[in-house]
Each structure stands twice: as structure tokens, then as C-alpha cells.
Amino acid sequence: MTNETNSTTPKKVPAIYPAKTKLQVTVIFFVVLGIYLFSMSWTQQQMAGGFSGALSNMFNVIEKFFPPNTAVISAIWGPMVETIQMAIIATTVAAILTVPLALLAAENVTTFKPLYIVTRTFLNLLRTIPDLVLAVIFVGLFGIGLFPGILALIIFSLGILAKLISETIESVDMNPLEAMRASGGNVFQVIWYALIPQVLPQFTSLVLYVFEINIRASVVLGLVGAGGIGLILNQQLGFYNYPNAMMIIILIFVVVIAIEYISTKIREALL
Amino acid sequence: MIEFKDVGLVYPNGTEGLKKINVTINDGEFIVIVGLSGAGKSTFIRSINRLVTPTSGSLLVDNEDILKYRGSDMRKLRTKTGMIFQNYNLVKRSNVLKNVLAGRLGHTSTLRSILNLYKKEDIGLAYESLQRVNIAEKIYNRADELSGGQQQRVSIARVLTQQPKYILADEPVASLDPPTSHQVMTYLKKINKEDNITTIVNLHFIDMAMEYADRIIGMRAGEVVFDGPVSEVSESTFEEIYGRSIREDDLRGGADKS
């Protein structure tokens, strides 16, 4: 004798979301839609005529770039390795510097609010500087070469890494930390015993990810004189030596794919 | 000896966790604190090792007012009070031995513990503690590979390795099934008797409190409303503590363990 008979006559049923939430979501939806429509109409005005010449230009470009000059492989292999070395050094230094910064920028570890806010702000500032700008500044300071490139990469990847890792730290299970504290562990012991084991897999994974980004970024940095394969690519483009440039591009492509594949495999095994 | 003298605690949000608590806990006692959730049991227990800090009164552990402690004094206090948690609070990705060795942190210098340079005696002690709770065969298993009851036994081994003077157990069996609950309580009782470690356990199961406690402290809304030996406790005492009649879910059951 349940009230099953009532189910056919619609009674007052509560909505899944409260009216206020519904209104908010609707407003946000239309605002986002408005932004899309506006950007579409705006950029189409600018783009008009852009396409017409592209197809015929395409043939010219391809004709110039192909076939790639395979003879230069031996000559460009050195700078390519340099680029990888740059990325390795920069990633390693950044990974080490990240540890204290990420801890200070994690709200659950750094309970002293002002320190946390200062570190967070510092990291945010770090991330607003584009890597290319960093490279231009350091090339200006230290001259053309690998060193300014490495410095630019360190600062660039520090910004990303510290932010991502501090967020990983904030999501750990705090209970083991409490247990370590309760058994008399000091701050360092609590971090080492209860926190590090929890974030180590993500830490390694993120460092590998940043290493991938650094390989690509170091190519771009070479364009402004910060050493490595990018520098050579820029020279060859400057000499209108397109078959050589094409070979460099293919080499970069192969190396980046290979490194991404290896690092993806390692990260899969870790997590 | 632990003495609460007019201890009160007001949380930053204005909630009164403890109201003028006056309790003396003698060495070697096995005390069970009962009360509904929110009655202040956890706050009471966590005041003793300063995981929370009472805002008024004085709390004496071995005749020293621990409310004035900070820094190294606090570390010493926590080294002599071991704690067991409802959710075991093990480091899930670390192996059992490493989790148990963490009990020695308070006795070990920062450098030694970070380099894993534990003294031979400490490792021996950790292994012995694991043997005492019958889980020594799992030393190299990761903590998250164990069942709830096994994890709680590992956390008891961690506390044993700490060689504390007091054991505080905050709802140690709330996440376990009845047979495992009794097993865990039996270990706690055994340790209390064999090592003469003062043990304070939070429980909300009446039958378990009656079975294992020497003395029961009842709490309601931040106040101690009952304090006496088990012999003086009857069903009406619990009804008074809980402020309502006793229901079936206040009992753990399964006391006739095999």
C-alpha cells in the first residue's frame, strides 16, 4: 500500500537545480555565446581576402622547400644535440628549484598566509613573461649562445612546474601528515615521510612533460639567438636556403616525436 | 598522569568544543570516552597531544602544563603520546615497514630520518612491533594493498614503535566490521596491560565500551557528563550521556568472536 497511485497525477516536484543556479548558468551561457559571435564576425572582417592568395602561394612554398637537402644532416646534428642538452640542463635545474617554491606556494603546507601569497604572486609574475621575451633579454645580457637560452628555459619552466606541482601538493591526503605530526615528526620529517611519497609520481611525470615543452621551446628560442638548432634554422631561412631549412624542420619533428613517445611511455608506467 | 583543569576550547568559528573540563587520568588506565558525534570526544583527545589547542584552563601531562608548549617541547610531548586514527592515516604508497618506522620520527634526527639511516635497534623495534600485531609477513607490501583491519594493525605497530607513555585512539574501529573491530580493541587492551601504557579510546559503541574499558567518560555538547568505572555504568547511564534512549546502531555487536 504505497503511494504509487499518486505517481500518475503530477504533484509539485522539486527542480534538480535551484532557480538561482539555473538563471546564473543561463546568463553565463549567453555571455559566452555572445563573445564567440563577436569574435567570429570581427576576425572574418580581417581574414577576408587572406585565403585567395594562399593556395597559389602554397605551390611556390612547397617547390622551394622540397626536396629537403639530406646532405646537411651531419652538419645540423651537432646543434640538434645542443638543443636537447639545453632542455635537459634547464629542466633539471628547474626541477630542483621547484621543490622549495612549490612547497611555499601550497596552501596546505605553508599555513603562514603572507608567505604563501608572496610565493604565489611571484610564480604568477614568472608565468606572465613569455619565453621569447626572456630569451631576448638574456641574449642582450650575455650575448648569443647557449647560456642565455638555458637561463630563459629555466625561468620559463620554473613558472609552469612550480604552479602545477604546488597544485598537486594541495590535493594530497592530509591524514598521513597529521599522523606524522602526532608522532613527533618535525616539519621536514613530515614533508619527507608523508608528503613526498604522495607527490613523487606526479612530480616525475610533470618534470618529463616540462622537458618535452622545453625541447620545443628551445627551438623557438634559437630564433632569437639563444643557441641550438633554432639558431641554425633561422640562419638558413635568412639565406633563403629552403631545402636545408626543410631538413632541419624534419629532424626537429622526428626528435620531438621520439622524445614525446619515450616520455609518454615512462609517465604511463609511473602513474 | 594527565590532568584537565577547567579546560575550555572555543574554535575560531565560535563553536565551543570543550567546556570547563575537569578530569584526571592515572597511569596505566584504559579509558573509553563515549558520546555522540560532535560531543567533543575528538577535541578532548586531540588536546592531549596538542593537535588542537585549548583556549582556557590548564592541561597537565606529567605535571607540566602542555598548553604553554611550543617547538621542541611540543615534539617531546608528541613523542610520548602515540595516536591511532579512524582512517589509519598510513602513507598509502609507502611500504609497511617504512610506515611503522615513521613512529621513530620523534626520536630520530632530521638528517638521519631523511637519509633512512635508522638505528639498528629502531628497525628491530619496528619489526618486533609488527610481530606483536601479527602482520610481520607484510613488511614490504605497500600500505594500500592491505585491508582496513590490517592497516589499523600497522598503525598500532607504528604507535608501538614510538614507545609512547600514552596512546590516544580516535574512533579506531569506526571504519571496521564487527569482528575486526574486536580484534583491534583486543590488541589495544593487550598493549595497555603488557606495556602499562595509559590508553584513551574514543568510541561510540556502547557494548564495546563496556567490554574493554576500565573507566568510562561520557561527553555531551563539550561537557563531561559521566566519569566512573565500568562497574557503575548501566544502560540508563548511556541514555543520560546520549540524551536519548539507546538504539541498535549504538551497538557494534559481534562480541562472540571466534
Side-chain angles (χ1 to χ4, degrees):
Chain A
M1 286 296 113
T2 54
N3 46 1
E4 229 169 275
T5 45
N6 290 351
S7 64
T8 45
T9 54
K11 278 203 303 181
K12 197 175 169 359
V13 176
I16 297 175
Y17 298 107
K20 201 181 156 211
T21 316
K22 266 187 182 168
L23 183 70
Q24 278 174 344
V25 172
T26 317
V27 168
I28 291 170
F29 174 76
F30 280 108
V31 168
V32 172
L33 192 70
I35 293 172
Y36 273 126
L37 291 174
F38 175 71
S39 345
M40 271 167 73
S41 67
W42 188 263
T43 47
Q44 260 166 2
Q45 282 173 19
Q46 310 287 314
M47 268 177 9
F51 273 118
S52 55
L55 265 178
S56 54
N57 287 344
M58 185 81 116
F59 279 107
N60 288 333
V61 173
I62 288 176
E63 222 173 16
K64 280 184 195 158
F65 274 97
F66 282 93
N69 180 9
T70 46
V72 292
I73 282 203
S74 56
I76 58 175
W77 188 244
M80 187 71 236
V81 172
E82 250 175 33
T83 296
I84 300 174
Q85 286 165 338
M86 263 170 81
I88 292 177
I89 294 170
T91 313
T92 313
V93 175
I96 294 166
L97 293 179
T98 288
V99 175
L101 276 176
L103 285 170
L104 289 175
E107 210 174 1
N108 53 351
V109 178
T110 309
T111 39
F112 183 57
K113 261 266 146 64
L115 188 59
Y116 157 77
I117 292 170
V118 167
T119 330
R120 267 275 134 124
T121 318
F122 172 67
L123 289 179
N124 286 339
L125 281 176
L126 220 56
R127 263 176 306 125
T128 54
I129 313 173
D131 49 345
L132 213 54
V133 173
L134 286 171
V136 170
I137 293 171
F138 286 127
V139 168
L141 287 177
F142 302 102
I144 288 178
L146 291 179
F147 185 63
I150 293 174
L151 276 186
L153 283 182
I154 290 173
I155 292 182
F156 166 69
S157 41
L158 190 60
I160 310 176
L161 255 186
K163 165 84 174 165
L164 291 175
I165 289 168
S166 69
E167 270 163 17
T168 313
I169 293 174
E170 281 177 351
S171 68
V172 300
D173 177 9
M174 290 301 284
N175 287 333
L177 279 80
E178 192 186 30
M180 300 292 161
R181 214 173 297 134
S183 69
N186 62 27
V187 181
F188 298 105
Q189 291 173 324
V190 168
I191 290 174
W192 187 260
Y193 270 79
L195 189 82
I196 302 279
Q198 291 191 64
V199 295
L200 200 58
Q202 275 92 341
F203 177 83
T204 322
S205 165
L206 288 170
V207 167
L208 282 169
Y209 172 63
V210 165
F211 175 61
E212 283 171 33
I213 297 181
N214 274 346
I215 292 265
R216 272 172 303 219
S218 63
V219 173
V220 179
L221 294 191
L223 294 180
V224 294
I229 191 92
L231 195 61
I232 311 294
L233 179 62
N234 196 30
Q235 279 170 6
Q236 296 304 314
L237 287 171
F239 298 151
Y240 302 109
N241 201 339
Y242 292 123
N244 283 4
M246 192 62 211
M247 196 56 235
I248 294 171
I249 291 166
I250 291 173
L251 185 66
I252 294 171
F253 178 77
V254 171
V255 168
V256 168
I257 294 277
I259 285 172
E260 272 198 10
Y261 178 78
I262 296 167
S263 109
T264 310
K265 282 289 157 209
I266 298 176
R267 283 159 57 192
E268 267 171 21
L270 275 172
L271 295 178
Chain B
M1 197 163 72
I2 302 171
E3 289 168 275
F4 282 73
K5 288 183 176 165
D6 287 329
V7 173
L9 188 149
V10 182
Y11 283 107
N13 65 10
T15 327
E16 262 191 284
L18 298 175
K19 293 174 198 164
K20 285 212 168 262
I21 304 281
N22 281 293
V23 169
T24 303
I25 294 163
N26 299 310
D27 288 344
E29 278 190 297
F30 193 101
I31 295 180
V32 170
I33 302 173
V34 292
L36 295 171
S37 57
K41 305 190 298 273
S42 276
T43 312
F44 180 91
I45 249 185
R46 277 156 200 257
S47 298
I48 300 171
N49 63 358
R50 285 285 304 277
L51 283 182
V52 297
T53 304
T55 46
S56 61
S58 56
L59 208 175
L60 275 60
V61 174
D62 299 333
N63 299 317
E64 277 190 61
D65 190 355
I66 61 157
L67 299 187
K68 296 192 179 78
Y69 278 7
R70 50 184 66 238
S72 66
D73 280 339
M74 191 101 98
R75 193 170 180 207
K76 243 186 288 166
L77 168 72
R78 286 177 178 169
T79 305
K80 68 179 176 192
T81 52
M83 190 154 189
I84 292 165
F85 301 83
Q86 176 180 347
N87 300 314
Y88 333 125
N89 293 12
L90 303 177
V91 183
K92 296 195 176 66
R93 297 186 61 93
S94 296
N95 71 29
V96 165
L97 184 60
K98 194 123 192 255
N99 265 297
V100 173
L101 272 170
R104 293 310 290 174
L105 285 182
H107 301 271
T108 311
S109 74
T110 309
L111 196 65
R112 263 182 177 275
S113 58
I114 283 176
L115 297 175
N116 264 333
L117 290 172
Y118 282 98
K119 297 194 194 85
K120 267 225 171 71
E121 308 94 82
D122 287 357
I123 301 172
L125 185 64
Y127 187 63
E128 199 183 301
S129 309
L130 283 164
Q131 283 174 321
R132 285 186 70 184
V133 292
N134 282 324
I135 199 149
E137 75 279 5
K138 301 272 188 199
I139 53 171
Y140 296 124
N141 284 61
R142 259 171 59 159
D144 56 3
E145 293 167 358
L146 306 183
S147 71
Q150 289 173 326
Q151 290 194 38
Q152 195 60 295
R153 271 147 66 198
V154 172
S155 91
I156 293 175
R158 177 171 67 189
V159 163
L160 277 175
T161 312
Q162 195 180 327
Q163 293 191 308
K165 199 169 167 208
Y166 306 97
I167 289 179
L168 312 171
D170 194 4
E171 296 279 4
V173 300
S175 313
L176 301 173
D177 57 31
T180 329
S181 300
H182 283 284
Q183 196 187 33
V184 164
M185 288 304 292
T186 309
Y187 278 122
L188 285 177
K189 184 83 186 182
K190 207 173 103 187
I191 290 159
N192 164 251
K193 287 276 162 300
E194 287 176 1
D195 301 15
N196 198 32
I197 300 175
T198 314
T199 307
I200 306 167
V201 185
N202 278 353
L203 281 180
H204 60 264
F205 297 116
I206 291 166
D207 51 343
M208 293 200 86
M210 293 293 288
E211 190 176 341
Y212 296 99
D214 297 335
R215 172 178 160 197
I216 285 179
I217 294 176
M219 291 190 74
R220 190 173 67 204
E223 287 175 290
V224 170
V225 292
F226 177 85
D227 182 357
V230 181
S231 51
E232 286 176 17
V233 176
S234 65
E235 191 160 313
S236 64
T237 321
F238 281 111
E239 285 177 348
E240 215 180 289
I241 295 170
Y242 284 17
R244 58 165 172 74
S245 56
I246 299 308
R247 298 191 300 235
E248 197 163 331
D249 55 358
D250 296 327
L251 305 172
R252 175 51 111 192
D256 46 320
K257 59 207 179 275
S258 49

